[in-house]
């Protein structure tokens, strides 16, 4: 299977391993990730104001490229995925926004075809669940993670707004727990798994962000987790910064690559 | 000076929020992880915008405390989407020339070597124009 892939700025800098483990795992599972040409940073957060189109154009460019290739658009960073999915939804539901975007894009290129959110946007987790299937993932496991107790940390961007993201039940998600089970480990359920880590407020009010992160860390630790997994570089940063070395926080793709036996291969470097 | 003409109208328009749908149940504020940090809470944004009382919101640091976590959106039983009002009010402020809440010059003192790109782009998107 071939899909369009939007890595995003952080996966090219401080989260290189998130990208590398994703690529290595995809290859091991028979999926080809075709990187979007000349992609631009998604902006990190979706702007809800409906009069802004400039902040949404990088998503539009990636979406229209994937759509032209008739491929789903896959990303692995929670933030990129959130921004792209929300932008795509706006193209489907807000006629005035779509009109202005299409007018602008047409001015940039004569070959532009009108777009109304036709592309399918998928997080890598959805690709694993809906296209490959967790049973196939389980069958491909070479090094079972048996004995590990793992806390899935969703944060906010993967799930919300639920109407748009449509990935899982926003209050009682299970997609990451199901993956953890497929890899042979035991998921640990705790209350703060879908609460915000403090996000970008870490720059402006580090103390507020620290309080949010501590709630997540304390929840996972008191539920008996050995390890927290996330899909978001900012969640990981906030949790590590405020967790000192209480508990390791890793990307879910690192565990996947480890279980599939490709973590040490050249593809993962 | 902020251009106060039609602020309420503009906030309602760019947010797309119908504040009259609110039944004042407070679920948005009860779900808000930044509740303790905010002087005005999500349900108050809804109520105050509806009654045209936006001046205190424009002057409050509450607009920088919102995490854009969308909890208030998913937990509102009336589909009001309070975060869109918080965002629209913040944009009213930072779209004014010279009113950015974050300046590039201030960044080096605020970061460490592990800061992900995502944190910087997100903060600039929310705090500066
Ligand atoms: S989006 Fe903002 S206002 Fe709404 S619950 Fe989250 S932090 Fe509170
Ligand atoms: S949850 Fe919705 S209906 Fe209830 S106070 Fe908040 S905005 Fe109003």
């Amino acid at each position: 299977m071939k899909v369009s892939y939007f890595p995003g700025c952080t996966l090219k800098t401080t989260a290189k391993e998130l990208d590398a483990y994703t690529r290595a795992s995809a290859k091991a599972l028979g999926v080809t990730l075709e990187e979007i040409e000349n992609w631009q940073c998604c902006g990190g957060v979706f702007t809800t104001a409906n009069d802004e189109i400039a902040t949404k154009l990088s998503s539009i460019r990636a979406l229209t490229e994937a759509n032209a290739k008739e491929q789903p658009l896959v990303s692995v960073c929670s933030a990129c995925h959130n921004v792209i999915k929300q932008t795509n939804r706006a193209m489907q539901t807000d006629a005035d926004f779509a009109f202005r975007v299409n007018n602008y894009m047409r001015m940039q290129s004569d070959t532009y075809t009108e777009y109304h959110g036709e592309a399918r946007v998928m997080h890598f987790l959805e690709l694993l669940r809906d296209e490959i299937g967790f049973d196939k993932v389980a069958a491909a496991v070479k090094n079972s993670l048996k004995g590990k107790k793992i806390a899935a940390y969703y944060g906010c961007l993967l799930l919300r707004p639920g109407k748009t993201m449509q990935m899982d039940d926003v209050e009682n998600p299970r997609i990451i727990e199901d993956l953890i089970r497929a890899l042979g480990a035991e998921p640990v359920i705790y209350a703060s798994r879908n609460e915000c880590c403090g996000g970008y407020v870490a720059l402006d009010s580090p103390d507020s962000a620290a309080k949010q992160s501590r709630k997540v860390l304390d929840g996972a630790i008191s539920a008996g987790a050995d390890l927290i997994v996330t899909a978001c570089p900012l969640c990981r940063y906030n949790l590590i910064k405020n967790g000192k070395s209480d508990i390791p926080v890793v990307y879910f793709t690192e565990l996947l690559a480890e279980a599939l036996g490709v973590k040490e291969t050249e593809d993962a470097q | 000076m902020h251009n106060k003409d039609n602020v309420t109208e503009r906030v309602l328009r760019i947010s797309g929020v119908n504040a009259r749908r609110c039944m004042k149940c407070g679920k948005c504020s009860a779900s808000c992880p930044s509740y303790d940090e905010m002087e005005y809470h999500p349900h108050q944004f809804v109520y105050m915008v509806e009654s045209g009382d936006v001046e205190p919101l424009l002057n409050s640091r509450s607009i920088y405390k919102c995490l854009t976590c969308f909890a208030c959106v998913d937990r509102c039983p009336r589909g009001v989407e309070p975060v869109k009002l918080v965002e629209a009010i913040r944009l009213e402020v930072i779209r004014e020339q010279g009113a950015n809440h974050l300046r590039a010059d201030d960044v080096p003192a605020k970061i460490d070597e592990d800061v992900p790109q995502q944190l910087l782009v997100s903060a600039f998107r929310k705090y500066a124009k």
Side-chain angles (χ1 to χ4, degrees), chain A residues 31-45:
Chain A
V31 176
T32 309
L33 303 176
E34 284 189 1
E35 189 165 331
I36 293 282
E37 259 179 70
N38 302 320
W39 56 266
Q40 300 155 312
C41 170
C42 74
V45 275

Side-chain angles (χ1 to χ4, degrees), chain A residues 18-81:
Chain A
L18 177 54
D19 179 54
Y21 295 137
T22 302
R23 289 176 192 271
S25 305
K27 190 172 170 193
L29 293 166
V31 176
T32 309
L33 303 176
E34 284 189 1
E35 189 165 331
I36 293 282
E37 259 179 70
N38 302 320
W39 56 266
Q40 300 155 312
C41 170
C42 74
V45 275
F46 182 71
T47 303
T48 57
N50 56 25
D51 64 340
E52 281 196 14
I53 70 163
T55 48
K56 293 154 192 167
L57 290 174
S58 73
S59 295
I60 301 287
R61 293 190 179 108
L63 285 161
T64 50
E65 183 179 320
N67 193 45
K69 288 171 138 185
E70 296 181 5
Q71 291 176 348
L73 179 56
V74 173
S75 44
V76 67
C77 167
S78 305
C80 299
H81 175 244

Side-chain angles (χ1 to χ4, degrees), chain A residues 115-129:
Chain A
Y115 182 72
H116 291 278
E118 292 86 351
R120 183 158 166 227
V121 183
M122 260 197 275
H123 190 271
F124 192 66
L125 281 163
E126 293 174 296
L127 180 84
L128 293 172
R129 179 190 62 191

